[in-house]
């Protein structure tokens, strides 16, 4: 007689998540057990009954996306990935939070199979999820055809009190409602506890009212520990046709722990061996640490169902390809291979021919718009936007249309005054695939979006930030809007390419480089004021892509002036003035120090020269030039002033005359 084991119950499945979470945190002696234990039933309902995913292929294009916005609860996600059959072993769970492990303290995309986005800074995961859902809606509108629902998936996000306390959450919530992202479902882990204790004293919002006022459907509150109730709410959420959905789940942090449940101590520290033993007894889990019974593993295993769903989509895609071969090829390129158009090299060559020898004096923000008008028609995945500054950032282009309300037409997004939200939504768009997002605001407001910029760099996502009004050159708006430390500050972010072009040619190369950089974000710092076009040889146009090059040389140069952006014109004018004084100097343009710094030592030495004093000039903090061994620098080491740009430049001493005097002074100081 063959004996069969008793099938695991949904409660067993939830308790497996609890046990793995508390065991891994205890072994690491670091982490957050409370949230995973409190969200276990929510996870059972979603992952075993609704989430469509294929553990054998975590990159399947039409999979549902799951985002753990409260990323400190990472052990919940790792336990789910392990149990459902992803390439994440029990040994990986045992290595939680250890150096070099696949289970870091917060989820990291590209590091752990099945993780869709890097979360940790609260509120950004929820905002990334809005980007995922927007991408799904836009791609569905572009590629789906009658009888062929090629793009048809949902985005689910778990989040907690901390995510909703962060201001970025309201930016995301508001835009999701305006865009009618009905395939976005957010499950709120409402446990009433944060690190400092019960939240009533600092978070008494009417959360349901807040979401309803922003255009969301709200379900609940429901008992987040009732799997069937969560299941029913998720089923109801699928019926929404024009609203994103919030499911309010009342939960207990540290659920199952006799002495830590409902306490702040459950949030961010191990339960301790004694409390874990009591918890095992309380929840009826007699198994050793990291031991999962076969029946529970079988209940969680999602590989067969995931592969079946994946095969079904592949059959639909094959039928779609037979009916719409060109659209299918474009979908494969943009979404599945994430490759640039086949004619990208030709497009680049034409752009460099047009802009490389330009003699037009224009603001680099205007040059950027002209480049976009040239490139965008040939790169349909370019999806732009602005934080309510389109007319100033010039991020639109002829025929771009607009993404507004519930409509999916157009390729330009009006984000409103939501810089941080825009940046994090762009991260979600890039992570989803199918788009290269770019968005604009003033450079000084990059401070608002800085952490999302950092996250894009950490996640190696191709996102383009268009930061205009890049210096005191914006003039009358004054010091609140005049960035001085921002360019140097952005250059400190690892894996972020920062470009500050001096004219149309450098702006075109900056855009081309940003689009070709598949594994890093870029920031383009662009001027409000007109800049003089610089003459170049075709060879010099090619050299721009190296981030730094000799723009104007003298055979018997006595010094080297290094400049970026609007100050390149100043450097060339100073060079010409110094020529009349019998002081020949070399002018080096460094449109991107971050790219220049990656060049080989021979190139950097050839450009910077050997044995010559160097003088840097930029409309920003001068200490930044020390990395290039500059003997002196002309910059702005104070806040600006309100007034016409020329008057402000003169007032702070950033003039051709001042640069000439600094070069002469430096050369005199070099004489023994």
């Amino acid at each position: 007689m063959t004996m069969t084991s008793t099938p695991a119950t949904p409660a067993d499945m939830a308790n497996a998540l609890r046990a793995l979470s508390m065991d891994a945190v205890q072994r690491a002696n670091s982490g957050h057990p409370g949230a995973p234990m409190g969200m276990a039933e929510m996870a059972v309902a979603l992952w075993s009954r609704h989430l469509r995913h294929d553990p054998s292929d975590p990159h399947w294009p039409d999979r549902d996306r799951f985002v753990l916005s409260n990323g400190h609860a990472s052990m919940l996600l790792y336990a789910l990935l392990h149990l459902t059959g992803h390439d994440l072993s029990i040994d990986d769970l045992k290595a939680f939070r250890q150096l070099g492990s696949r289970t870091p303290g917060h989820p990291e995309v590209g590091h752990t199979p099945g993780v869709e986005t890097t979360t940790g800074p609260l509120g950004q995961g929820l905002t990334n999820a809005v980007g995922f859902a927007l991408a799904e809606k836009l791609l569905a509108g572009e590629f789906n055809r009658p009888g062929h629902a090629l793009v048809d998936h949902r985005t689910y996000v778990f989040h907690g009190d901390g995510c909703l306390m962060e201001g970025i959450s309201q930016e995301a919530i508001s835009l999701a409602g305006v865009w009618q992202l009905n395939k976005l479902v957010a499950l709120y882990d409402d446990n009433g506890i944060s690190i400092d204790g019960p939240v009533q004293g600092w978070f008494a919002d009417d959360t349901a009212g807040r979401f309803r006022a922003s255009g969301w459907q709200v379900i609940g509150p429901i008992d987040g520990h009732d799997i069937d109730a969560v299941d029913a709410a998720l089923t109801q959420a699928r019926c929404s046709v024009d609203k994103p959905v919030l499911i309010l789940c009342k939960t207990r942090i540290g659920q199952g722990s006799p002495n830590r449940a409902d306490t702040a101590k459950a949030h961010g520290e191990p339960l301790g061996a004694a409390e874990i033993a009591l918890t095992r007894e309380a929840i009826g889990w007699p198994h050793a640490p990291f031991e999962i019974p076969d029946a529970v593993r079988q209940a969680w295993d999602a590989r067969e169902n995931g592969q079946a769903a994946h095969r079904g989509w592949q059959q639909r895609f094959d039928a779609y390809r037979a009916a719409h071969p060109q659209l299918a090829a474009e979908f494969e390129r943009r979404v599945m291979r994430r490759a640039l158009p086949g004619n990208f090299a030709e497009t680049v060559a034409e752009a460099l021919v047009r802009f490389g020898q330009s003699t037009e004096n224009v603001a680099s923000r205007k040059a950027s718009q002209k480049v976009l008008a040239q490139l965008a028609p040939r790169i349909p995945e370019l999806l732009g936007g602005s934080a309510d500054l389109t007319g100033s950032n010039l991020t639109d282009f002829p025929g771009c249309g607009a993404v507004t309300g519930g409509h999916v037409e157009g390729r330009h997004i009006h984000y409103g005054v939501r810089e941080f939200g825009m940046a994090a939504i762009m991260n979600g768009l890039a992570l989803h695939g199918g788009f290269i997002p770019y968005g604009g605001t003033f450079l000084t407001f990059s401070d608002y979006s800085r952490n999302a910029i950092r996250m894009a760099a950490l996640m190696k996502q191709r996102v383009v930030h268009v930061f205009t009004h890049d210096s005191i050159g914006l003039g009358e708006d004054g010091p609140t809007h005049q960035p001085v430390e921002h360019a140097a500050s952005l250059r400190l972010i690892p894996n972020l390419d920062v470009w500050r072009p001096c004219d149309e040619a450098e702006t075109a190369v900056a855009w081309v480089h940003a689009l070709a950089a598949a594994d890093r974000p870029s920031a383009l710092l662009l001027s409000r004021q007109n800049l003089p076009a610089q003459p170049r040889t075709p060879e010099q146009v090619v050299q721009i892509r190296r981030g730094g090059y000799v723009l104007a040389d003298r055979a018997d140069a006595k010094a080297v002036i290094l400049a970026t952006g609007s100050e390149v014109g100043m450097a060339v004018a100073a060079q010409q003035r110094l020529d009349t004084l019998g002081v020949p100097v070399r002018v080096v343009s460094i449109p991107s120090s971050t790219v220049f710094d990656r060049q080989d030592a021979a190139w950097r030495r050839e450009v910077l020269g050997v044995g010559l004093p160097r003088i840097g000039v930029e409309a920003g903090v001068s200490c930044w030039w020390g990395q290039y061994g500059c003997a002196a620098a002309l910059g702005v080491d104070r806040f600006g002033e309100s007034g016409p740009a020329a008057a402000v430049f003169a007032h702070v001493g950033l003039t051709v005359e001042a640069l000439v005097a600094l070069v002469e002074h430096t050369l005199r100081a070099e004489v023994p």
Side-chain angles (χ1 to χ4, degrees), residues 533-610:
Q534 300 299 329
R536 293 178 186 81
T537 65
E539 182 183 22
Q540 286 176 310
V541 174
V542 173
Q543 291 171 349
I544 295 172
R545 66 181 175 82
R546 305 193 74 164
Y549 63 103
V550 178
L551 176 64
D553 207 359
R554 297 293 184 266
D556 51 352
K558 292 181 169 57
V560 181
I561 300 177
L562 313 178
T564 80
S566 52
E567 287 64 65
V568 170
M570 181 185 298
V572 171
Q575 180 192 50
Q576 294 168 353
R577 187 82 56 87
L578 287 162
D579 284 341
T580 66
L581 299 174
V583 184
V585 299
R586 168 185 289 186
V587 173
V588 169
S589 176
I590 305 183
S592 177
S593 65
T594 52
V595 173
F596 181 64
D597 291 347
R598 294 200 299 273
Q599 303 305 306
D600 59 84
W603 176 259
R604 287 183 279 120
R605 187 167 52 249
E606 178 183 343
V607 170
L608 298 175
V610 178

